[in-house]
Amino acid sequence: MKKSDFNFELPEELIAQFPIENRSDSRLLVLDKKTGEIEDKKFTDIIEYLESGDTLVLNDTKVIPARLFGRREKTGGAVEILLLKNLEGNRWETLVKPGKKAKIGYRIEFGDGILKCEIKDIIEDGKRIVEFEYEGIFNEILDRLGEMPLPPYIHEKLEDKNRYQTIYAKNEGSAAAPTAGLHFTQEILEKIKAKGINIVYLTLHVGLGTFRPVKEENINNHIMHTEHYEISEKAAEIINKTKEKGKNIIAVGTTSVRTLESCVDENNRIIPKADSTDIFIYPGYKFKIVDKIITNFHLPESTLIMLVSAMANRENVLKAYEYAIEEEYRFFSFGDCMFIK
């Protein structure tokens, strides 16, 4: 299967630059994966499509303000650092701009010197290992100095950092938000619970690889980025019981899908664990756990549109996207929502 099989033309004005005022006011496109039938709804209508005994699975990762702007100690030259992954202690895997000058031993300071770092190593894809120096609590300093690492297609500054977090964000570690969850409010979650639907949480820390384009025309040759996930015994037990009863598992976002499909044993049961996954889901994949998906609209030729095409058939998905463009749905991270039933 070719990368170009997942291409579509999107008018730039449909790329949402801001979150809407009220999270749950998003539009909801409902796609029947078997028939291809499309319905126009509001996100608050999602409750109509969930049944008592179903289980809704949410990713409770929390985005860190991972973009730091500093200056080189010796020259005062401007430097931007993007935190990708905490390796151990104060050592982080990062992207540094400008990259060519960022040699081993290069020292950078942020916020008048309350935070400093030194480049310790250069690894694959030009990423740098840096070690930070500071007094106090790193996360508090980061919250003060850092900015949210918004996707490259968002050109406007985000005034409220919390709008790039889900309301249930808990476990810090993501470089990007699990955006399908941005539509949920506490009121909607309470109504879902009141209908007898289970809500469980897992954690997958989203890496910037989620925005990395597929370079190989033959998608079988694409190598996925690796992301850390955790799923608890309690969550696994609820999900397994739901499947035993013949009820549905509804995954909120592609990150939840990838986590659930990564920790399945030979009997199609979820195994509680903390691990990393590089699972690549594209058409032809047979889902073992996930029955339905709540998701945003994704970039052309991305691994994310390939994943939803595996669930709902590529032709159905591309027709739904064509319809969404005609009806001027808002696309990508701050955009509207899609439910594949």
Side-chain angles (χ1 to χ4, degrees), residues 1 5 16 24 41 49 68 115 143 207 215 256 292:
M1 190 163 279
D5 291 335
S24 60
K41 295 288 184 177
Y49 295 91
L68 288 163
L115 180 66
D143 192 55
K215 295 180 180 178
S256 296
K292 303 177 182 183

Side-chain angles (χ1 to χ4, degrees), residues 31 33 46 48-51 54-57 243 247-253 256-257 260 287 289-295 311 338-341:
L31 172 64
K33 63 187 175 187
I46 191 67
E48 298 175 13
Y49 295 91
L50 309 180
E51 301 174 2
D54 286 349
T55 293
L56 187 73
V57 183
K243 296 296 285 187
K247 293 293 186 176
N248 296 302
I249 302 298
I250 301 100
V252 178
S256 296
V257 175
L260 291 169
F287 287 87
I289 295 295
V290 178
D291 300 296
K292 303 177 182 183
I293 303 175
I294 296 171
T295 185
M311 170 62 71
M338 185 177 187
F339 178 53
I340 300 176
K341 67 173 186 174

Side-chain angles (χ1 to χ4, degrees), residues 180-246:
L182 295 178
H183 309 279
F184 285 88
T185 62
Q186 195 59 48
E187 181 182 6
I188 288 178
L189 291 176
E190 292 299 330
K191 287 182 177 179
I192 289 171
K193 287 180 186 175
K195 193 173 177 180
I197 297 150
N198 305 303
I199 297 178
V200 301
Y201 298 91
L202 50 75
T203 303
L204 180 136
H205 292 317
V206 189
L208 289 182
T210 192
F211 303 117
R212 186 181 298 161
V214 176
K215 295 180 180 178
E216 302 285 348
E217 179 59 18
N218 181 347
I219 67 172
N220 293 314
N221 296 330
H222 176 69
I223 299 174
M224 282 291 286
H225 54 287
T226 299
E227 294 169 319
H228 176 78
Y229 71 84
E230 296 182 20
I231 186 163
S232 68
E233 288 188 15
K234 181 180 178 182
E237 181 182 0
I238 292 171
I239 292 165
N240 289 331
K241 285 184 177 179
T242 302
K243 296 296 285 187
E244 288 168 10
K245 293 176 180 177

Side-chain angles (χ1 to χ4, degrees), residues 18-226:
F18 301 98
I20 57 175
E21 185 175 350
N22 297 311
R23 291 174 182 264
S24 60
D25 284 348
S26 302
R27 297 168 70 187
L28 177 69
L29 186 151
V30 180
L31 172 64
D32 188 310
K33 63 187 175 187
K34 294 180 180 176
T35 66
E37 181 183 351
I38 295 169
E39 299 174 82
D40 287 300
K41 295 288 184 177
K42 298 177 295 184
F43 185 73
T44 49
D45 296 326
I46 191 67
I47 301 165
E48 298 175 13
Y49 295 91
L50 309 180
E51 301 174 2
S52 178
D54 286 349
T55 293
L56 187 73
V57 183
L58 302 161
N59 182 5
D60 66 4
T61 189
K62 190 172 185 178
V63 187
I64 59 174
R67 179 166 274 123
L68 288 163
F69 297 92
R71 295 197 172 276
R72 189 174 178 185
E73 280 190 349
K74 288 185 178 179
T75 65
V79 182
E80 177 185 338
I81 283 191
L82 189 61
L83 307 182
L84 300 179
K85 185 191 299 181
N86 183 218
L87 301 176
E88 58 178 358
N90 294 321
R91 288 200 173 217
W92 285 76
E93 181 182 303
T94 69
L95 289 174
V96 179
K97 294 181 182 179
K100 289 184 179 179
K101 296 181 179 179
K103 311 292 186 184
I104 294 174
Y106 184 109
R107 290 183 59 83
I108 308 159
E109 62 177 28
F110 312 88
D112 297 323
I114 65 171
L115 180 66
K116 298 180 181 182
C117 76
E118 181 176 315
I119 296 176
K120 296 294 188 180
D121 199 4
I122 301 173
I123 58 174
E124 77 279 355
D125 297 329
K127 291 180 283 191
R128 266 65 174 172
I129 305 300
V130 308
E131 185 165 1
F132 285 100
E133 304 162 16
Y134 55 91
E135 291 184 5
I137 299 172
F138 181 74
N139 285 346
E140 290 182 359
I141 296 172
L142 190 61
D143 192 55
R144 177 177 160 188
L145 300 180
E147 293 186 6
M148 283 298 181
L150 295 177
Y153 49 75
I154 293 178
H155 309 300
E156 302 295 335
K157 184 177 175 65
L158 182 64
E159 297 300 328
D160 180 1
K161 289 181 182 180
N162 288 326
R163 292 309 308 272
Y164 196 56
Q165 302 278 19
T166 63
I167 63 162
Y168 46 80
K170 180 181 177 183
N171 295 309
E172 292 185 332
S174 273
T179 55
L182 295 178
H183 309 279
F184 285 88
T185 62
Q186 195 59 48
E187 181 182 6
I188 288 178
L189 291 176
E190 292 299 330
K191 287 182 177 179
I192 289 171
K193 287 180 186 175
K195 193 173 177 180
I197 297 150
N198 305 303
I199 297 178
V200 301
Y201 298 91
L202 50 75
T203 303
L204 180 136
H205 292 317
V206 189
L208 289 182
T210 192
F211 303 117
R212 186 181 298 161
V214 176
K215 295 180 180 178
E216 302 285 348
E217 179 59 18
N218 181 347
I219 67 172
N220 293 314
N221 296 330
H222 176 69
I223 299 174
M224 282 291 286
H225 54 287
T226 299

Side-chain angles (χ1 to χ4, degrees), residues 254-282:
T254 56
T255 59
S256 296
V257 175
R258 294 181 69 237
T259 304
L260 291 169
E261 296 293 320
S262 293
C263 48
V264 185
D265 68 9
E266 62 277 7
N267 298 313
N268 288 347
R269 291 177 61 82
I270 292 289
I271 303 299
K273 61 166 79 171
D275 205 346
S276 293
T277 181
D278 60 357
I279 189 172
F280 181 20
I281 297 175
Y282 54 89

